Amino acid sequence: MKFKELEPRNFLTLGTVPVLHLADRGLVLIEGVNEDDSSTNSNGAGKSSIADALCWALFGVTARGEKGDAVVNNKLKKECFVRLRWSDGDTDYEVIRHRKHKEHKNATHLFQIDADGTRTPLHKGTEAETQVVIEEKLGCSYEVFTAAIYAGQECMPDIPAMTDKQLKLLVEEASGTERLERAYEIAGDRLKKQEEARGIVRIKLERAQAAVEAAQARVEQSTASAGDHDAGRGMRAEHFRSQAGQFKDYVAQVTEHVRGLQASADAENIAEVEAVLASHRELLAQAQALAEESMGCRRLADKAGFDTDVQLKEVERLKASLDNAEAEMAKPCPECGKPHTPEELESFKAHLTERLRAAAISARACMDASNTAKATLEQATTREQQFRAGMPDVSAMIGRQQQHARLIAEINRLSAEAKVSQGHYDNLTARADQELTQPNPFHAVLEQDNQALANARAALAGVESEFAAAEHAVTLAQTVVKVFSPAGVRAQILDTVTPFLNERTSEYLSTLSDGNINVVWSTLSTTARGELREKFVIEVENEHGATSFGGLSGGEKKKVRLACMLALQDLVASRATKPIDLWVGDEVDGALDAAGLERLMVILEKRARDRGTVLVISHNDLKCWINDVTTVTKTGKTSTVSGILTETRHAA
């Protein structure tokens, strides 16, 4: 993988900078000129801003940890962006990261550029999602980039001092085995799913086993019931016949009793009684007619008496009014209040006298009619009494008739009971015969239960097979998890990686330090008790002094860090899926004597031939070792870039 173009704009100290061409440039020195402050020489010119722009474009943070608005040029304070283009085979990718940009705000854009020039946007809705795609296409994380590609002057990773966990993560990613971590996670997820699936099948198995047990219990119950039914046939038949015999005896007793009652009924001359009572009913009808005639006469007599009383009361009232006529007429008229005249009194008396005479005549007539009605009523009553007195006494005949009716009702009741009892006898007799001949009803139930048991056992066999397959799947998944676990193939790979790291680190240190310092990458460490344990460490020893990394001098530590970083990049180049043909060393020549610097240049020259481009950022004059130079010049708080990286004649 090659970085082709880098275009920073208003980034850190850099202002408007030409496009920088990074691919296949060999060994390049990046020097600085600070015209704003001559006392600092090249420091503060913005040399490291080029490497920081590269790191920020890819990861949104510089190797020194700067991010957010801190990367925007202090003078211009806006319109900051960095564009980086790299190639992966025939496909190019371009990332453009903005900050405080008028048009694109703080957005990050990623494009895929095919050989025909087609640009396909790959950025997502959020910054985090886009970053995942960038690192996927780059094949490198921030940690590996800063540890193996970019040796920053202020933040060069202290690889020899890293913890077991940090070293493992770094080496695993550098060697491309970080995919095994993902494989381990996937294997764990699959194991969990297989265990969940096995749990579901186990529940099915338990249910199937319970179903077989229940079906077996039903078969046993049906078998016992069928046996009990056959064993009890004779006893049940005898029981039914015993009950039938009781009904038979009762029918015989009732039949005999009915026969006697029927003889008594036949002996009674009920026809003669019926004839006498029929004749008596005719006499009763005549007596009833005389009674109704008497009742009519009584109503007429009562009405005539009432009318007579009314007329007599009217005569008395009119007579009293006539006697009190003068007193009444002496009172003023109730309507006009004037007193009555003598003429009006005489006229009033004459009127009352006429009405009294008429009422007396009417009362006499009513009295005559009442007397006549009373005489007629007396005659009708006498006729009725005389007729009833002449009617014969039939109470004995009525008693004989009622006694005969009760006898017939008893005969009918007993006959009905005898018929019902005969039906019970017939049914019980038939049931007794059926008990000895009918099929055992539990045989059909037993057949159904046996079929259900066979089905349950077949289902159980299927579930047992399914469970065995689930068990096998879990075992296989457990094996896969073990393979991809830290103690599995990852540990084996680390064991194969460490000889490579040891060889490369030793080669670089032998060049940088005349072989006086020994560095060993190891997957085992010794405890205070002298016991070995699994732990990824870097052991450092100076043959002429310190026995650990912490005991080395500052210059020696820098040589060890540099050797480890160079070895780690070789690992990335040899093992990573997408090795990057670039290495950046920022002030890596510091604290080196002339011999050490010369040895470092030999290493970097070879690395430039092998990797395509090596950028050395330094405030020292290294032009005697490095021919191609790029200069960062700071003027008026803003830096510009000139030199080999701005030229296109060597671009790939």
Side-chain angles (χ1 to χ4, degrees), residues 268-284:
E268 178 67 49
N269 188 2
I270 195 64
E272 179 184 355
V273 173
E274 291 291 344
V276 172
L277 292 179
S279 175
H280 187 264
R281 283 193 292 274
E282 293 178 359
L283 295 176
L284 286 176

Side-chain angles (χ1 to χ4, degrees), residues 144 148-149 174-175 500 566-582 607 610-611:
V144 170
I149 308 300
S175 61
F500 175 86
L566 293 171
L568 196 61
Q569 190 193 27
D570 290 343
L571 178 65
V572 172
S574 64
R575 295 292 188 96
T577 55
K578 298 179 180 181
I580 298 174
D581 291 341
L582 174 69
R607 180 166 295 273
D610 294 339
R611 298 288 177 259

Side-chain angles (χ1 to χ4, degrees), residues 298-441:
R298 184 175 299 280
R299 285 195 293 271
L300 291 174
D302 290 342
K303 184 177 185 306
F306 176 78
D307 292 343
T308 299
D309 290 340
V310 171
Q311 289 302 321
L312 288 175
K313 289 179 180 179
E314 179 65 15
V315 169
E316 291 295 330
R317 188 185 67 80
L318 290 174
K319 186 176 179 181
S321 295
L322 183 60
D323 292 341
N324 296 321
E326 291 182 1
E328 288 294 325
M329 292 303 290
K331 298 177 181 179
C333 177
E335 296 180 359
C336 64
K338 294 180 180 182
H340 294 95
T341 63
E343 290 80 9
E344 289 177 337
L345 176 60
E346 289 301 325
S347 176
F348 180 62
K349 285 182 176 182
H351 174 69
L352 288 177
T353 302
E354 181 60 29
R355 289 182 62 189
L356 179 59
R357 186 184 64 76
I361 294 172
S362 178
R364 174 59 61 186
C366 286
M367 291 176 63
D368 293 342
S370 176
N371 291 333
T372 302
K374 288 179 179 178
T376 303
L377 173 60
E378 184 177 355
Q379 292 174 1
T381 301
T382 300
R383 286 196 299 274
E384 180 188 357
Q385 291 174 349
Q386 290 175 350
F387 185 81
R388 289 187 180 278
M391 291 177 62
D393 184 8
V394 293
S395 57
M397 291 293 183
I398 292 174
R400 289 172 60 188
Q401 184 188 42
Q402 292 175 345
Q403 178 65 28
H404 185 270
R406 287 193 291 271
L407 185 61
I408 294 301
E410 181 66 9
I411 291 173
N412 292 334
R413 184 185 68 79
L414 292 174
S415 297
E417 287 186 0
K419 185 176 180 180
V420 171
S421 297
Q422 182 64 42
H424 289 325
Y425 169 77
D426 295 339
N427 289 335
L428 290 169
T429 302
R431 288 194 64 182
D433 294 339
Q434 290 174 356
E435 282 294 332
L436 299 175
T437 58
Q438 70 179 0
N440 190 325

